[in-house]
Amino acid sequence: MTTSVPTQPTEQPAGEVLHCANHPDVETYLRCNKCNKPICLKCAVLTEVGYRCKECIHEQQNVFYNAVTGDNAIAFAVAGGITLVAWPIAALLFGMLGSVFWLISWIVAAFVGSGAGAVLAQIIRKSVGRRRGRYIRHFTVGGIIVGLLLSVFVTNMFLGFPLITLPALLFGVLAIGSAWQLLR
């Protein structure tokens, strides 16, 4: 199946100069091929069917998102709860492993961190009923950070020292990164 990409944007008659709807000081001859709004090259997005404005692209992408309002709170709570429980365990293991084999603790943190983020993303996806939301990943990262801070505070209160080591931080950063990517 071949698709043809238009080489020329929709142009106006030679004497009619338009101004961009989003940037009124910019002259343009280009219009969105869906809503016919005048747009400049900063606002134009090239699609398979021609140039469209960012608002029409955003509207088109909304069909992929079916999350309800409560899904963001569920993602935040699940990410925070799991991090609150899992961080002390992971940080304690990396602390013990790092005191004996510091290089192995870095390698294990690099490999296991991404997997932990992927598992967390799948748990969150199942907890929201496999619905997709535009901001679920933002709430997930917020929950991870809040859970991490609460975990560090609690372990500092009861154990007398915070469970933060460099391999554990690498683990956390990689877990956040993989959860962010998988919840797109």
Side-chain angles (χ1 to χ4, degrees):
M1 179 176 169
T2 61
T3 59
S4 64
V5 177
T7 57
Q8 294 293 325
T10 306
E11 292 187 18
Q12 295 301 316
E16 186 180 354
V17 175
L18 301 172
H19 292 280
C20 177
N22 298 328
H23 305 101
D25 56 331
V26 178
E27 293 182 356
T28 184
Y29 291 101
L30 185 63
R31 288 184 177 266
C32 174
N33 73 348
K34 185 171 183 183
C35 68
N36 208 26
K37 178 172 67 171
I39 54 176
C40 65
L41 289 178
K42 295 177 196 170
C43 301
V45 178
L46 179 62
T47 65
E48 290 83 13
V49 295
Y51 288 96
R52 291 207 173 157
C53 64
K54 293 180 181 177
E55 291 82 15
C56 288
I57 296 292
H58 188 73
E59 183 181 313
Q60 181 72 28
Q61 290 174 345
N62 280 340
V63 299
F64 298 113
Y65 299 113
N66 57 357
V68 295
T69 306
D71 288 346
N72 293 332
I74 291 170
F76 182 83
V78 169
I82 290 174
T83 305
L84 184 64
V85 172
W87 179 259
I89 297 167
L92 190 62
L93 290 174
F94 285 122
M96 288 187 311
L97 187 62
S99 64
V100 179
F101 305 107
W102 64 272
L103 181 62
I104 293 176
S105 67
W106 283 89
I107 294 170
V108 169
F111 285 114
V112 176
S114 299
V119 168
L120 178 63
Q122 292 304 320
I123 291 170
I124 290 170
R125 181 146 301 160
K126 285 183 181 179
S127 67
V128 297
R130 298 210 180 274
R131 291 183 293 270
R132 295 182 55 160
R134 192 176 296 274
Y135 302 109
I136 285 180
R137 64 184 178 163
H138 297 91
F139 281 91
T140 299
V141 170
I144 291 171
I145 291 171
V146 168
L148 174 71
L149 293 175
L150 283 174
S151 176
V152 168
F153 177 74
V154 168
T155 56
N156 193 18
M157 291 291 289
F158 290 114
L159 297 177
F161 61 91
L163 292 176
I164 296 180
T165 61
L166 289 177
L169 285 177
L170 174 66
F171 171 83
V173 167
L174 291 174
I176 288 172
S178 65
W180 177 269
Q181 284 300 319
L182 289 174
L183 290 173
R184 290 181 85 186

